[in-house]
Amino acid sequence: MGTDNQTWVHEFILLGLSSDWDTQVSLFVLFLLMYLVTVLGNFLIILLIRLDSRLHTPMYFFLTNLSLVDVSYATSIVPQLLAHFLASHKTIPFLSCASQLFFSLGLGGIEFVLLAMMAYDRYVAVCNPLRYSAIMHTGLCSRMALVSWASGSINSMMQTAITFQLPMCANMYIDHISCELLAVVRLACVDTSTNEVAIMVSSIILLMTPFCLVLLSYIQIISTILKIQSTEGRRKAFHTCASHLTVVALCYGMAIFTYIQPHSSPSVLQEKLISLFYAILTPMLNPMIYSLRNKEVKGAWQKLLGQFSGFASKLKT
């Protein structure tokens, strides 16, 4: 491309987690199994919600969106990671790297905003139960989901554009498992203060603002729960929010730790582990959290399995 000092590269080399072959094979098997569990778990949740009319509520509408985001986020990173475990040359073309950054960053932003929307849904359910159906109608839920998808996508488009217009000066080696935002910005051979400001601003908009909304929602929720007289009523109200609160704690913490202060960001190894956490562990755990901690989902599973067993018995006879 360019012939001056500000050279544009055609491809990058991802250094990944390890250069030891035996370690890479072991990680390949481990992450492949986790990815398959992630895909299966999230698609089963989506299928279950579609099949059981009792789950056609705003909470499970947002959960469907969350499962779609989780499986898409994992797919934007894990297949390429698995391929590189077995490859001698761990290269990724320039356009593929830009695409991976766009999708992973966009889906991450969508999830953070979506969790804030889910917190509002839980706030209405606990604090204003008599008007829940009137407030959380289909039109509002659709608009809330659309805002989540649009805000994450627009932010990712802007961040990807300003990141990949930076000259890399033939710096091809990305010390990461994927084309992650901070790792790519570090390759630039020019001042990146504008990019760092953009990262900070987007972190405030897509991380801290939704996080504050979640906090405000749960302050109101806890205040309402404490006013409930009966122990059973308090337990039921808290159980309504337990799964979402667990997922919020998993998703927001390390993202804020990573992106809110690019200059004082964690070590490269910590960044890799955090990326693995979001790409593999969180998408795998979310369906389990909502299945194991939710009576409605467990009841729907039991009903579906009962129907399947009855159908299998009829086939045998």
Side-chain angles (χ1 to χ4, degrees):
M1 295 191 180
T3 57
D4 57 5
N5 288 334
Q6 296 185 353
T7 308
W8 296 87
V9 297
H10 296 275
E11 64 181 13
F12 299 99
I13 297 173
L14 293 167
L15 298 183
L17 289 171
S18 173
S19 58
D20 179 71
W21 173 252
D22 291 336
T23 302
Q24 290 184 82
V25 171
S26 299
L27 290 174
F28 172 84
V29 174
L30 174 63
F31 292 156
L32 175 61
L33 291 174
M34 295 176 74
Y35 177 64
L36 292 176
V37 171
T38 296
V39 173
L40 180 63
N42 281 284
F43 276 126
L44 283 176
I45 284 285
I46 294 170
L47 180 64
L48 185 68
I49 293 170
R50 292 281 295 176
L51 293 177
D52 197 313
S53 58
R54 294 174 300 176
L55 302 182
H56 293 174
T57 64
M59 175 181 173
Y60 294 105
F61 168 75
F62 289 121
L63 180 55
T64 298
N65 278 266
L66 183 65
S67 291
L68 282 172
V69 170
D70 280 340
V71 75
S72 300
Y73 185 85
T75 301
S76 72
I77 293 176
V78 179
Q80 169 260 310
L81 176 65
L82 294 173
H84 278 189
F85 279 138
L86 304 181
S88 55
H89 301 290
K90 307 180 193 305
T91 58
I92 181 169
F94 183 92
L95 288 178
S96 297
C97 187
S99 298
Q100 185 179 65
L101 175 59
F102 169 75
F103 284 110
S104 60
L105 187 63
L107 290 161
I110 292 166
E111 179 152 352
F112 295 131
V113 179
L114 190 60
L115 287 172
M117 302 300 184
M118 295 174 77
Y120 177 73
D121 171 69
R122 293 299 83 205
Y123 159 75
V124 177
V126 173
C127 300
N128 206 345
L130 297 179
R131 299 192 61 232
Y132 178 73
S133 297
I135 296 173
M136 298 302 297
H137 54 83
T138 303
L140 178 62
C141 292
S142 298
R143 288 193 291 272
M144 290 168 70
L146 181 61
V147 167
S148 301
W149 286 86
S151 57
S153 300
I154 292 170
N155 171 69
S156 182
M157 191 182 301
M158 292 180 358
Q159 291 287 352
T160 303
I162 64 173
T163 298
F164 281 93
Q165 59 82 33
L166 291 170
M168 306 297 180
C169 298
N171 293 331
M172 298 174 60
Y173 294 92
I174 301 177
D175 194 2
H176 211 278
I177 62 168
S178 66
C179 291
E180 191 267 345
L181 180 60
L182 296 179
V184 176
V185 169
R186 278 196 292 265
L187 298 181
C189 53
V190 295
D191 178 58
T192 59
S193 57
T194 301
N195 295 74
E196 289 167 7
V197 170
I199 293 170
M200 176 72 75
V201 171
S202 69
S203 297
I204 292 171
I205 294 172
L206 289 182
L207 275 176
M208 294 309 298
T209 301
F211 181 65
C212 290
L213 292 174
V214 170
L215 282 180
L216 289 173
S217 296
Y218 274 99
I219 288 171
Q220 292 295 321
I221 288 170
I222 292 170
S223 176
T224 301
I225 290 175
L226 292 177
K227 293 175 184 176
I228 297 174
Q229 298 298 320
S230 68
T231 304
E232 178 63 22
R234 286 197 296 269
R235 188 198 63 79
K236 185 177 180 181
F238 179 75
H239 192 271
T240 301
C241 308
S243 298
H244 178 257
L245 195 56
T246 305
V247 172
V248 164
L250 283 173
C251 290
Y252 278 106
M254 280 192 279
I256 293 173
F257 178 64
T258 304
Y259 289 108
I260 203 64
Q261 289 183 310
H263 267 306
S264 57
S265 58
S267 69
V268 171
L269 177 59
Q270 286 176 315
E271 283 185 10
K272 292 179 183 180
L273 294 177
I274 290 169
S275 291
L276 284 174
F277 178 84
Y278 282 113
I280 297 179
L281 197 60
T282 301
M284 184 181 73
L285 289 178
N286 283 354
M288 298 180 187
I289 292 168
Y290 276 98
S291 296
L292 296 176
R293 298 184 64 93
N294 192 300
K295 287 184 178 180
E296 291 174 325
V297 174
K298 286 192 284 188
W301 278 123
Q302 291 168 359
K303 179 184 175 183
L304 185 63
L305 291 174
Q307 291 174 342
F308 179 78
S309 299
F311 179 72
S313 299
K314 288 181 181 178
L315 287 179
K316 288 181 181 179
T317 57

